Amino acid sequence: MDGLHRELFEAVRNYKMPPPAVKLLKQSPPLIISAVTAGGKTTTGNRIVKKSDYRHVVTHTTRTIRPGEANGVNYWFVNQAEMLELIKQGVFIEVQPVHGDTIYGTSLESYQSVIKTGHKPLLIMDVQGIQEIISNIPQTQAFFMLPPSYETWMDRLQARGNMNPLEKARRLQSAKKEIETVLADSHFVLVINYDIERTADEILQGPSMADQRASREIAQRLVDRIKI
């Protein structure tokens, strides 16, 4: 680990949500979506945008841009040095490491830009970032998406393209921890992603208690099937 890398992760580890961010989220609460890897959160988020008044808050990331992505549309793509400088400036609502070495952050400016257009903010983020928001704003609620079965999950993961066994194992281990965290935290509402249209509607309308009981059973079965 080089000096820049070490300094960046130390800055991420020590970052605290600034008071203006707490005030902003209380005044204009977001709709928050998360999911296991290959859970469909991005596709579902896009569908929610088409069906409602919610709009994406574009987050920053240190990961490499992929074919078909655009800077400022999918993410704000920055290198490690740029991310470190932004952290030092205190521009983020939250900033977290995801899947190892990649850093993601939600900036106040991106959040405010959605509100200024007259729309409601939609955050698509990982469990760690949601927990940071919850720790500052306890009334926060977030939706966590899961596949309907382990077999369907593996099919969706495989459809993402070539993934070496080490990467797959790392993602499944992260997913297991996320599901266990979500099951133990009442701030999360579980949603089973049978299909995008149904899932988007369920998130916008809110699932029933019966849905939650069934979803928790599916979540536990998924955890039991992950053998890492």
Side-chain angles (χ1 to χ4, degrees), residues 18-195:
V22 176
K23 182 179 179 180
L24 178 63
L25 267 65
K26 286 182 177 179
Q27 289 176 337
S28 301
L31 174 62
I32 306 177
I33 300 174
S34 189
V36 292
T37 184
K41 61 180 179 288
T42 300
T43 308
T44 301
N46 290 339
R47 190 61 191 153
I48 286 172
V49 165
K50 290 181 179 179
K51 295 169 69 73
S52 72
D53 201 30
Y54 286 101
R55 295 296 181 268
H56 290 290
V57 177
V58 181
T59 56
H60 287 67
T61 181
T62 59
R63 80 158 170 79
T64 305
I65 190 169
R66 296 169 182 166
E69 291 182 329
N71 194 39
V73 177
N74 303 94
Y75 293 96
W76 292 107
F77 295 94
V78 294
N79 60 37
Q80 289 193 349
E82 290 168 331
M83 180 65 84
L84 178 58
E85 182 58 32
L86 290 170
I87 292 172
K88 289 179 178 178
Q89 293 172 14
V91 306
F92 292 114
I93 294 171
E94 57 79 36
V95 59
Q96 301 290 332
V98 179
H99 299 312
D101 290 344
T102 303
I103 305 298
Y104 289 83
T106 307
S107 75
L108 278 82
E109 184 178 356
S110 290
Y111 198 95
Q112 289 167 325
S113 68
V114 170
I115 297 169
K116 288 176 181 178
T117 64
H119 295 98
K120 295 184 287 187
L122 170 62
L123 291 176
I124 299 178
M125 59 199 312
D126 288 271
V127 170
Q128 303 100 300
I130 296 171
Q131 288 182 303
E132 176 64 18
I133 293 176
I134 290 170
S135 69
N136 286 275
I137 308 171
Q139 64 268 36
T140 297
Q141 184 181 71
F143 292 91
F144 189 81
M145 296 167 49
L146 294 162
S149 69
Y150 186 81
E151 290 73 21
T152 300
W153 189 14
M154 293 303 100
D155 288 344
R156 292 175 180 175
L157 196 57
Q158 186 65 34
R160 286 198 160 192
N162 294 328
M163 185 179 299
N164 64 57
L166 183 62
E167 173 66 12
K168 182 177 180 180
R170 185 173 67 176
R171 284 179 173 266
L172 288 178
Q173 184 62 42
S174 294
K176 183 176 183 178
K177 291 179 180 178
E178 287 173 343
I179 298 171
E180 290 172 340
T181 297
V182 167
L183 283 172
D185 191 335
S186 61
H187 292 91
F188 289 91
V189 178
L190 298 177
V191 179
I192 305 303
N193 184 16
Y194 292 98
D195 66 75

